[in-house]
Amino acid sequence: MTAAETRLARLPSYVGIVALAFVRPDAVYEGRLRLDRTGLQYPFDGVMLREAAALLRQRNPDTRIVLSVGGATYGGWADLNEGAIARLVSDLGLDGVDIDFEPAHPGCRRQAGDGISCRTDGQLQAIVERLRARLPRPLLLTVAGWSVGAYGEGAFEQAMPKSAYTGMMLPLLRSSAARHIDLVSIMAYEAGPLFDPLEAYRAYRAEWAGRLALGVLAGTGQPAAIAAAVGGMAHHIRPDPLAGMMLYALSTDADESRSLEPAARPLAGAMCEALSLRGCDMPVP
């Protein structure tokens, strides 16, 4: 395989931000584009990854490429190595970092007469501050928000489902650290039958005035039904000039010889069309 043959290099222009997942928060990066201790698991080395990113940027100059740090698999936030992460961003020629902070026990609660607070509030805000200090603008710092992360207060106090993560993002979005965030992507999936993605979007928008993406999960259900649902969601968010959609994931396996998640290809195109973007006839490779 060459860099030009990778999926990354061949992504269509309507994909505005690409997140390369996942990097360990406590990554060890010794330079020379060695990825073996970073958490990234691609079937090629860092040199080819850098070349693929450069080729994508040549084809689609407006596309931004970030490293997604954390996720459900990687903890290690207590040993966050922001220096290694920043060096990796620089050496790969990328545009920033996405924070995917998924603690096992956030400890969120609301006391009478007070707002929601979580045991992890200080940690998450410090993560944002520390990464921004190493990655000054115009580099991007984006954050993935839990599905119910803006529920639990005000008009959304009784929003369902209730979860240990209810309201988890509210303290961050109200903190001084929020000024460092360029985009919030709502992980609006895998939250059970009572969950309404559009309700989650409204809850986040009530707290966050910046760029906001509503996430959709590929690979579950029938592609036609998912595409129809995407159209309905896009219809509601299109009047918002700072709103968009996020697809997780274009590929869920490090082995690029395997197929994408079943719904990813048609779903990406459906998102493009629903949001009235250009180049929707260009397929996801």
Side-chain angles (χ1 to χ4, degrees):
M1 176 185 292
T2 66
E5 294 172 320
T6 64
R7 289 180 182 144
L8 176 61
R10 296 182 291 136
L11 287 175
S13 60
Y14 56 79
V15 179
I17 298 179
V18 182
L20 305 179
F22 285 99
V23 173
R24 301 177 61 95
D26 54 352
V28 175
Y29 176 60
E30 300 170 345
R32 300 181 299 279
L33 293 173
R34 292 185 57 181
L35 306 181
D36 51 300
R37 301 176 68 187
T38 66
L40 289 174
Q41 299 180 40
Y42 290 100
F44 41 78
D45 62 18
V47 173
M48 185 176 291
L49 182 58
R50 180 178 62 185
E51 291 175 355
L55 288 171
L56 175 61
R57 190 172 286 107
Q58 288 175 14
R59 291 179 53 249
N60 304 326
D62 293 331
T63 297
R64 297 293 176 259
I65 309 168
V66 300
L67 290 178
S68 188
V69 181
T73 301
Y74 293 141
W77 288 104
D79 298 309
L80 175 65
N81 191 346
E82 67 268 33
I85 293 168
R87 289 193 300 274
L88 186 59
V89 168
S90 177
D91 285 0
L92 288 170
L94 305 183
D95 301 294
V97 161
D98 175 66
I99 299 170
D100 190 349
F101 180 68
E102 301 188 26
H105 305 288
C108 299
R109 66 188 187 283
R110 182 178 184 184
Q111 297 179 347
D114 198 2
I116 289 176
S117 62
C118 306
R119 186 168 55 246
T120 54
D121 289 344
Q123 183 182 19
L124 178 54
Q125 291 168 33
I127 289 167
V128 172
E129 296 275 6
R130 289 169 61 181
L131 283 168
R132 176 52 82 194
R134 289 282 187 158
L135 299 162
R137 289 189 171 99
L139 292 173
L140 296 176
L141 188 60
T142 69
V143 175
W146 205 268
S147 54
V148 297
Y151 286 172
E153 294 185 26
F156 305 96
E157 182 175 1
Q158 301 303 321
M160 300 297 286
K162 300 289 185 178
S163 156
Y165 298 88
T166 294
M168 175 187 160
M169 293 293 291
L170 294 177
L172 172 64
L173 297 179
R174 295 169 179 170
S175 74
S176 60
R179 72 189 189 279
H180 298 308
I181 300 171
D182 298 305
L183 165 72
V184 174
S185 298
I186 310 169
M187 297 185 288
Y189 40 76
E190 296 184 318
L194 297 178
F195 178 71
D196 179 358
L198 287 175
E199 184 79 341
Y201 163 78
R202 288 187 286 268
Y204 271 91
R205 181 47 86 209
E207 296 291 337
W208 173 249
R211 294 191 178 279
L212 185 64
L214 183 59
V216 176
L217 181 67
T220 57
Q222 297 298 317
I226 298 173
V230 165
M233 288 187 283
H235 174 75
H236 282 83
I237 69 172
R238 275 179 59 185
D240 183 343
L242 295 181
M245 302 192 79
M246 177 265 287
L247 176 61
Y248 183 78
L250 286 179
S251 176
T252 58
D253 196 288
D255 182 357
E256 289 218 340
S257 66
R258 290 189 169 186
S259 63
L260 295 173
E261 286 284 333
R265 284 192 178 94
L267 191 51
M271 281 185 169
C272 180
E273 293 178 0
L275 294 172
S276 298
L277 304 178
R278 296 180 178 178
C280 299
D281 56 339
M282 185 176 181
V284 171

